[in-house]
Amino acid sequence: MLRMMGNYQALVTFATILMETRQRHCWVLGCETYVWHRLSSQYAITNFVKFVIKLDYFGLSEFRDVIQSRIAQIGLHITDNQDDDAEKLAFEQLTKQLHQATGGHSKLACVLIFHALIQDDNHPLTIAPLCLPDLTSLKQCSDDDLFSLAELYVHGGLRIFQHAEIFACSIEQSALKLEYLCRQGLIKAHYSKQDFAQHYYVITPTLTRLIASHLVNHNKLYL
C-alpha cells in the first residue's frame, strides 16, 4: 500500500505513524545495508530514528558455529573414515568453502549442504563435493537487467506496473524483462490471477547477498 502511494508520500505516512505512536510503541525497522543507504541519502530517514544498530553477516567463526549446530543432529559424516582429526579438518575446509561461496549467508549454505547430501551403506549420511551456486546468468546480465535487479533489491520486490513506472516503459516490456530474470533463477514470481500487471517479483532469497555484492561491484548499488 505504501509503495502505491509513491516514495515521498509513503515516507511521510510512515514517519507520521512513528511520531504519533512513539509514546506507546517501540518501532524496530530492519533492512539491508544498501536499502538503508538509499533511505538515508534520499529521504534522511535517520532524522526519524533514535538508534541505528548495524548487524553484519556472519564472520567465519560465527558462520562455523551456525553450520555446526545445523548439522550436529543429522548424523552427517564429511570423511569416509572414523578419524576425528580428519573429520574436524574436513569440516574446517567445508565451512571456509561455504563462507567464501555464500558471503556468510547461512541459509544459502544450508541449501548447498542439503543438495550435497547422499546416503550410502556405511554411514547414515555423507556429503558429496559441493555444487556451488551457478552465477553465470548473473554475470551475463546487461546493464538494464542489473538496474532492474537493483530496484527489486532496494524496494524488496516490485509488481510489473511498478517496474514499468520506474523505468518509463510499457507494461508488456516490464513483464518480459521480469519474466526473463525469473527464468534465469535470479528472481521469484508471485503471480496474480486477476491482472498480470499485478504479478509480484522478488529476488531469490538465498541469492540476495551474492546478487547485492555483484550489483555493488558493478556500480548499480551504492554504499
Side-chain angles (χ1 to χ4, degrees), residues 84-137:
D84 291 341
D85 291 337
E87 184 79 11
K88 183 177 179 180
L89 179 60
F91 179 75
E92 290 291 328
Q93 293 173 342
L94 175 67
T95 52
K96 287 180 181 179
Q97 185 183 15
L98 284 169
H99 189 267
Q100 183 177 10
T102 64
H105 196 313
S106 60
K107 290 185 179 179
L108 175 56
C110 291
V111 169
L112 297 179
I113 291 176
F114 174 78
H115 285 298
L117 290 179
I118 57 175
Q119 284 189 307
D120 61 28
D121 297 332
N122 299 317
H123 303 295
L125 286 174
T126 185
I127 188 168
L130 291 175
C131 180
L132 300 181
D134 183 3
L135 299 178
T136 302
S137 59

Side-chain angles (χ1 to χ4, degrees), residues 57-185:
Y57 277 83
F58 292 120
L60 181 57
S61 59
E62 300 164 321
F63 183 79
R64 184 189 302 113
D65 293 339
V66 172
I67 299 301
Q68 190 169 31
S69 66
R70 295 288 179 87
I71 68 175
Q73 304 298 322
I74 64 174
L76 174 64
H77 290 267
I78 302 174
T79 61
D80 292 332
N81 53 52
Q82 299 296 322
D83 189 323
D84 291 341
D85 291 337
E87 184 79 11
K88 183 177 179 180
L89 179 60
F91 179 75
E92 290 291 328
Q93 293 173 342
L94 175 67
T95 52
K96 287 180 181 179
Q97 185 183 15
L98 284 169
H99 189 267
Q100 183 177 10
T102 64
H105 196 313
S106 60
K107 290 185 179 179
L108 175 56
C110 291
V111 169
L112 297 179
I113 291 176
F114 174 78
H115 285 298
L117 290 179
I118 57 175
Q119 284 189 307
D120 61 28
D121 297 332
N122 299 317
H123 303 295
L125 286 174
T126 185
I127 188 168
L130 291 175
C131 180
L132 300 181
D134 183 3
L135 299 178
T136 302
S137 59
L138 179 61
K139 295 176 182 178
Q140 294 176 347
C141 281
S142 66
D143 282 349
D144 287 344
D145 296 332
L146 294 180
F147 278 123
S148 290
L149 288 172
E151 291 297 330
L152 284 162
Y153 182 86
V154 299
H155 291 110
L158 290 173
R159 301 190 186 279
I160 289 177
F161 80 90
Q162 294 169 340
H163 181 275
E165 291 174 356
I166 291 173
F167 290 96
C169 60
S170 68
I171 295 291
E172 290 75 13
Q173 288 173 319
S174 286
L176 289 172
K177 173 69 70 178
L178 293 172
E179 193 59 28
Y180 166 76
L181 294 173
C182 185
R183 297 296 177 88
Q184 301 304 310

